[in-house]
Amino acid sequence: MTLRRVVVTGMGAVTPIGNTPNEYWENLLNGQSGAAAITRFDTTHFKTKFACEVKGFDPLAYLDRKEARKMDLYSQFAMASSIQAVEDSKLDIEKIDLAKVGVIFASGIGGISTLESEIKDFTNGNGVPRFNPFLIPKMIADIAAGLISIKYGFRGPNYATVSACASSSHAISNAYDCIRLGRADIMVTGGAEAAITVTGMGGFNALRALSTRNEAPQSASRPYDKNREGFVLGEGAGTLILEEYEHAVKRGAMIYAEVAGTGMTGDAYHITAPHPEGLGAASVMIRAMEDANMPLTEIDYINTHGTSTPLGDISEVKAIQKVFGEHALKLNISSTKSMTGHLLGAAGAIESIASILALKHQIVPPTINHSEQDPEIDERLNFTFNKAQKRPIKAVLNNTFGFGGHNSSVIFKQV
């Protein structure tokens, strides 16, 4: 069968450095860090006392008060970014076939703050089971996809993907497949996360995964720097509207980019650590390139997973050099997590938006906070350290990798 072309016709974002795609992009180019002291709870006894919280978010700008009360924060983020994206796409809900519009929306953790709060109330209530009737629908990781479809009446494929930090990239990949295989004409896809809670921070601290640079949080996320020592937890949401190319052209949609191909692999190695030689990371990039039927030389920029962990950054760099060979020296590479922190299940969504805007504006956002070269990382590679760089960009590859060895790559190209 002939596979249909898929393009991006709308975007929405709620991030630690901007609550719209334009704000987010402007702060990426300015090298703005979203890290600061945590405001949600008392961090006195925590090893890490900072994170990249979303700032100035008002759910009532998107939802009525009654609706918002029935949603966990992660779902509120999801709804806000999706409403933005639908508006940006200029979809006329009255004129499209709603049965051919679907939603695949991810979260790695779901409504952890709701679950945490309800358990705390139960414990403090002498064991009397007085639970909120909305506990389950607020908590489950698939509810954002359901809420988005209910709001607009979208009756196409509808579900969530859960693969830790690769969750929203897998959602984008699945949505892409739905359209190119003819199962839908339009898909709303992306991911949301709101895990900056006592449990979220405590759990990642226990894994020794987080930076503890409490004296200088804005410089804590430092991918590829010799002195990196863990990631910074972030939160927020990103949404893409994917659309079949001819459908988009027929309605006169503004097209940001084309989804060229995707790859999905597993490390089959360790529950939290990446393969030290980057075998899964290398194979997922190869699969994406094969799916896109593109030569390696057409990739100009890689938005890396780049979490700022000692092992993960080196593993990904090894994979890039293994796959791209000499062309790796001609690439721009950057990790926007240096500014947003790590949004877990929403990372792939907001980093796809950064990749698409880099393609649109022909500018590579920087990797900030680099001060000392890591001798284990090839200094000839261009990590776009500390300052955005203008360059011709034909295609961008976006990597996301998750605990459990879940790997996903998505390629966007000019139309």
Side-chain angles (χ1 to χ4, degrees):
M1 66 178 294
T2 301
L3 296 176
R4 306 195 304 171
R5 294 173 66 187
V6 181
V7 294
V8 180
T9 57
M11 298 191 293
V14 176
T15 81
I17 58 171
N19 293 339
T20 66
N22 286 341
E23 290 178 5
Y24 168 50
W25 177 244
E26 183 177 342
N27 285 320
L28 284 177
L29 295 187
N30 291 334
Q32 178 68 47
S33 170
I38 290 170
T39 63
R40 302 266 171 78
F41 57 90
D42 183 359
T43 62
T44 300
H45 300 296
F46 284 74
K47 295 176 184 176
T48 298
K49 305 178 188 300
F50 63 94
C52 288
E53 294 178 331
V54 167
K55 301 154 191 74
F57 175 72
D58 180 10
L60 301 185
Y62 303 94
L63 307 163
D64 68 39
R65 193 175 301 276
K66 187 176 180 180
E67 286 180 309
R69 288 179 61 192
K70 297 176 184 177
M71 298 180 194
D72 184 86
L73 183 59
Y74 101 90
S75 293
Q76 294 177 0
F77 288 157
M79 290 298 289
S81 68
S82 296
I83 290 167
Q84 289 178 25
V86 170
E87 290 178 354
D88 184 45
S89 72
K90 296 180 172 57
L91 285 174
D92 188 337
I93 305 299
E94 302 297 323
K95 293 183 179 179
I96 59 177
D97 183 355
L98 298 180
K100 296 288 283 183
V101 185
V103 184
I104 303 177
F105 209 86
S107 184
I109 294 177
I112 190 171
S113 64
T114 294
L115 180 60
E116 186 179 290
S117 175
E118 290 292 313
I119 291 173
K120 184 178 179 181
D121 288 348
F122 171 71
T123 303
N124 293 339
N126 300 316
V128 178
R130 293 194 181 98
F131 289 97
N132 188 312
F134 294 103
L135 164 59
I136 300 302
K138 288 175 73 174
M139 177 191 72
I140 52 180
D142 67 294
I143 201 64
L147 290 167
I148 295 162
S149 69
I150 290 166
K151 176 174 177 61
Y152 293 103
F154 297 152
R155 301 193 305 276
N158 186 273
Y159 60 93
T161 53
V162 180
S163 50
C165 309
S167 297
S168 54
S169 289
H170 279 132
I172 292 166
S173 295
N174 285 189
Y176 168 60
D177 284 340
C178 280
I179 295 173
R180 64 176 177 165
L181 292 171
R183 293 171 179 160
D185 292 330
I186 301 168
M187 294 295 296
V188 182
T189 187
E193 208 77 89
I196 302 175
T197 70
V198 167
T199 306
M201 294 299 296
F204 282 116
N205 265 158
L207 279 173
R208 298 183 180 179
L210 298 180
S211 169
T212 56
R213 194 182 287 259
N214 295 308
E215 72 286 354
Q218 291 192 330
S219 64
S221 185
R222 43 183 52 240
Y224 312 114
D225 187 82
K226 179 182 177 181
N227 298 307
R228 68 190 182 281
E229 35 85 51
F231 71 82
V232 178
L233 191 58
E235 64 179 2
T239 302
L240 304 180
I241 306 298
L242 303 189
E243 189 167 353
E244 192 271 324
Y245 174 72
E246 296 296 342
H247 188 280
V249 170
K250 186 176 180 180
R251 71 177 185 87
M254 195 278 288
I255 296 173
Y256 284 100
E258 182 170 357
V259 185
T262 67
M264 294 178 276
T265 66
D267 271 7
Y269 175 72
H270 190 272
I271 58 172
T272 56
H275 191 284
E277 297 303 314
L279 295 186
S283 65
V284 79
M285 288 186 277
I286 291 169
R287 298 279 178 85
M289 295 301 300
E290 290 173 346
D291 189 43
N293 195 27
M294 291 170 61
L296 295 170
T297 52
E298 287 197 16
I299 299 296
D300 297 303
Y301 167 44
I302 299 178
N303 186 305
T304 62
H305 187 56
T307 58
S308 186
T309 58
L311 296 178
D313 289 6
I314 290 174
S315 173
E316 187 172 9
V317 170
K318 286 181 178 179
I320 289 169
Q321 292 190 282
K322 185 178 299 182
V323 171
F324 288 92
E326 286 300 309
H327 184 62
L329 304 180
K330 300 176 182 178
L331 295 165
N332 272 73
I333 298 166
S334 76
S335 171
T336 47
K337 286 185 181 75
S338 59
M339 294 169 277
T340 65
H342 191 352
L343 270 65
L344 307 178
I350 69 160
E351 288 157 19
S352 288
I353 292 170
S355 299
I356 291 163
L357 291 173
L359 192 64
K360 177 185 176 182
H361 297 289
Q362 300 286 283
I363 305 174
V364 178
T367 305
I368 67 168
N369 295 326
H370 183 264
S371 60
E372 189 171 355
Q373 179 67 34
D374 185 336
E376 294 191 60
I377 293 177
D378 192 339
E379 64 182 4
R380 298 176 300 164
L381 295 168
N382 182 1
F383 290 97
T384 323
F385 283 135
N386 299 321
K387 187 177 180 181
Q389 182 178 330
K390 292 184 178 181
R391 66 159 292 164
I393 305 172
K394 298 184 294 292
V396 181
L397 185 148
N398 179 32
N399 283 335
T400 47
F401 313 135
F403 282 178
H406 314 302
N407 307 309
S408 180
S409 293
V410 182
I411 298 172
F412 300 97
K413 69 177 183 179
Q414 292 180 322
V415 178

